């Protein structure tokens, strides 16, 4: 069994995906239950996401949801993947994470991204446009300053000041360079485009500047991983998300997850079929043996210290089984050693 799997951390990001015919509130409760389950399985951290005005995602307030997750768990690290910093004042973000860290000391992560909304309408509703993401580096510096107590305003962030909440940068586009210059851990995806991901990792390591937050580069690779008894069953786990992505690319809105059988029975346009087929490729999916081999390859190629699993599907029982099987792979590697 590979030593690279044994030495890596494994974590989970759940986007609180809604399902056809089910209320949004259920998706949020499912997220909390999943956090409890992956804690029992030994995963390192559990993160939630920020999306606004998306029919297929219930998770619109990540720090609120993180508080619910942290309150329902005991040991797993809890955080955001991420809070989209251009949507918020850095002072307010610092205060929110200061409250979380004060309530759940030593368990909170602060994952930060630079997205400003899924559509033009959402961006207008948030009072931002794409240009607001251009100052992400400045917003990040201001946010970290609130924890250090170095704001030139003379204002102090309570209770954040003096606390050490680990920050992570979600590396989209220029994110790798920003993370490197700030000396912060980087989360990069996705596993479907290995060459692009590797270029970002190489650039991050080449330009990394040590900081109080991270003395050396720390790379988290993220993406969907589906593990099942057969390759076919693993592939079916990916079907609902692949269809939702294809629909969003062709209709402009990201829908709730449908059952896999409903997707497989659909008659798709050529354009939909192209996006759908593309959405099924490049993930780590298969039996435990197959996924073990693929994980070894990814970890050896990237040198990543951590894997953040982002799988979403309609069948919650199958999703839980996938996380159990992945935990078994990791535990087997840990107990057998290099």
């Amino acid at each position: 069994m590979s030593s690279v799997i044994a030495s890596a951390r494994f974590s989970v990001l759940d986007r609180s995906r809604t399902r056809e015919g089910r209320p949004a509130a259920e998706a949020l409760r499912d997220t909390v239950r999943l956090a409890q389950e992956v804690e029992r399985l030994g995963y390192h951290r559990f993160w939630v996401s920020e999306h606004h005005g998306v029919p297929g995602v219930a998770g619109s307030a990540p720090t609120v949801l993180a508080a619910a997750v942290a309150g329902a768990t005991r040991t797993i690290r809890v955080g955001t993947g991420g809070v989209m910093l251009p949507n918020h004042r850095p002072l307010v973000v610092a205060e929110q994470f200061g409250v979380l860290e004060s309530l759940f000391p030593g368990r909170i992560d602060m994952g930060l991204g630079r997205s400003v909304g899924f559509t033009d309408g959402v961006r207008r509703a948030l009072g931002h446009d794409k240009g607001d993401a251009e100052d992400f580096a400045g917003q990040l510096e201001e946010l970290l300053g609130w924890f250090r107590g170095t704001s030139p305003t003379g204002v102090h962030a309570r209770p954040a000041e003096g606390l050490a909440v680990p920050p992570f940068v979600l590396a989209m586009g220029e994110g790798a360079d920003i993370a490197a210059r700030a000396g912060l851990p980087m989360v990069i995806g996705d596993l479907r485009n290995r060459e692009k991901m590797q270029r970002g990792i190489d650039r991050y390591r080449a330009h990394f500047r040590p900081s109080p937050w991270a003395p050396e580069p720390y790379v988290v690779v993220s993406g969907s991983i589906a593990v099942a008894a057969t390759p076919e069953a693993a592939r079916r786990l990916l079907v609902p998300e692949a269809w939702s992505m294809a629909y969003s690319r062709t209709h402009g809105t990201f829908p709730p997850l449908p059952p896999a059988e409903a997707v497989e029975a659909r008659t798709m346009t050529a354009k939909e079929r192209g996006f759908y087929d593309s959405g099924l490729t490049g993930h780590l999916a298969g039996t435990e043996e197959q996924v073990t081999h693929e994980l070894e390859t990814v970890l050896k190629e990237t040198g990543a210290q951590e894997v953040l699993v982002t799988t979403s599907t309609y069948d919650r029982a199958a999703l839980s089984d996938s996380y159990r099987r992945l935990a078994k792979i990791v535990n087997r590697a840990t107990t057998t050693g290099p």
Side-chain angles (χ1 to χ4, degrees):
M1 189 59 65
S2 173
S3 62
V4 292
I5 294 178
S7 61
R9 290 167 166 167
F10 284 80
S11 300
V12 174
L13 166 66
D14 190 71
R15 288 176 293 143
S16 304
R17 292 286 275 114
T18 58
R19 295 182 289 165
E20 280 187 3
R22 308 274 188 152
E26 184 177 80
L28 297 171
R29 290 192 291 269
D30 284 342
T31 291
V32 175
R33 282 192 290 266
L34 180 62
Q36 294 171 321
E37 183 169 1
V38 300
E39 178 179 63
R40 289 192 294 269
L41 292 171
Y43 285 85
H44 181 61
R45 62 180 107 240
F46 187 92
W47 283 3
V48 296
S49 65
E50 176 182 343
H51 294 274
H52 299 284
V54 180
V57 181
S60 55
T63 53
V64 176
L65 185 52
V69 168
T73 53
R74 295 185 302 107
T75 57
I76 196 168
R77 297 196 64 86
V78 177
T80 56
V83 163
M84 297 301 141
L85 201 48
N87 293 338
H88 311 278
R89 294 302 308 163
L91 169 61
V92 176
V93 175
E95 290 171 336
Q96 290 173 345
F97 279 97
V99 169
L100 283 170
E101 176 65 19
S102 299
L103 290 172
F104 309 101
R107 292 182 56 204
I108 301 300
D109 299 321
M110 185 168 59
L112 305 162
R114 62 195 293 268
S115 172
V116 285
F118 188 64
T119 65
D120 289 338
V122 169
R123 288 189 286 271
R124 285 195 300 272
L126 290 169
H128 296 287
D129 58 39
K130 289 183 178 180
D132 291 325
E134 299 305 313
D135 191 35
F136 178 66
Q139 295 160 350
L140 185 61
E141 183 179 3
E142 180 185 342
L143 172 60
L144 299 181
W146 288 115
F147 288 93
R148 294 190 300 260
T150 58
S151 172
T153 64
V155 174
H156 297 273
R158 312 291 187 196
E161 189 174 310
L163 297 180
V165 182
F168 295 74
V169 172
L170 275 60
M172 301 296 235
E174 295 179 13
D177 295 322
I178 293 170
R181 289 195 299 270
L184 301 181
M186 176 184 72
V187 182
I188 189 166
D190 63 26
L191 294 170
R192 291 183 301 162
N193 192 337
R194 307 281 176 83
E195 289 185 10
K196 182 179 179 182
M197 185 174 72
Q198 190 64 54
R199 286 196 301 271
I201 292 170
D202 291 344
R203 196 166 65 245
Y204 168 70
R205 290 201 176 107
H207 296 101
F208 184 84
R209 300 174 184 172
S211 76
W213 301 100
E216 57 189 27
Y218 189 90
V219 175
V220 183
V221 292
S222 68
S224 294
I225 301 177
V227 196
T230 65
E232 295 75 23
R235 182 184 180 277
R236 292 191 91 236
L237 272 165
L238 303 172
V239 163
E241 184 75 13
W243 166 248
S244 290
M245 187 62 70
Y247 188 91
S248 73
R249 297 291 295 275
T250 52
H251 295 78
T253 185
F254 198 65
L257 293 171
E261 55 270 22
V263 176
E264 292 167 340
R266 290 188 68 94
T267 300
M268 301 184 194
T269 66
K271 194 171 184 181
E272 287 172 343
R273 174 65 65 178
F275 284 125
Y276 172 69
D277 289 342
S278 174
L280 287 172
T281 61
H283 306 285
L284 273 59
T287 63
E288 289 170 34
E289 183 179 359
Q290 290 171 323
V291 170
T292 297
H293 175 72
E294 292 187 44
L295 270 175
E296 289 172 348
T297 301
V298 168
L299 289 169
K300 285 175 181 175
E301 288 177 352
T302 63
Q305 289 98 328
E306 187 169 341
V307 178
L308 182 67
V309 187
T310 63
T311 313
S312 296
T313 196
Y314 183 91
D315 187 336
R316 301 296 301 188
L319 181 64
S320 294
D321 182 62
S322 178
Y323 278 119
R324 282 193 296 272
R325 290 175 183 272
L326 179 57
K328 191 188 301 182
I329 292 170
V330 177
N331 292 336
R332 195 181 300 136
T334 303
T335 54
T336 57

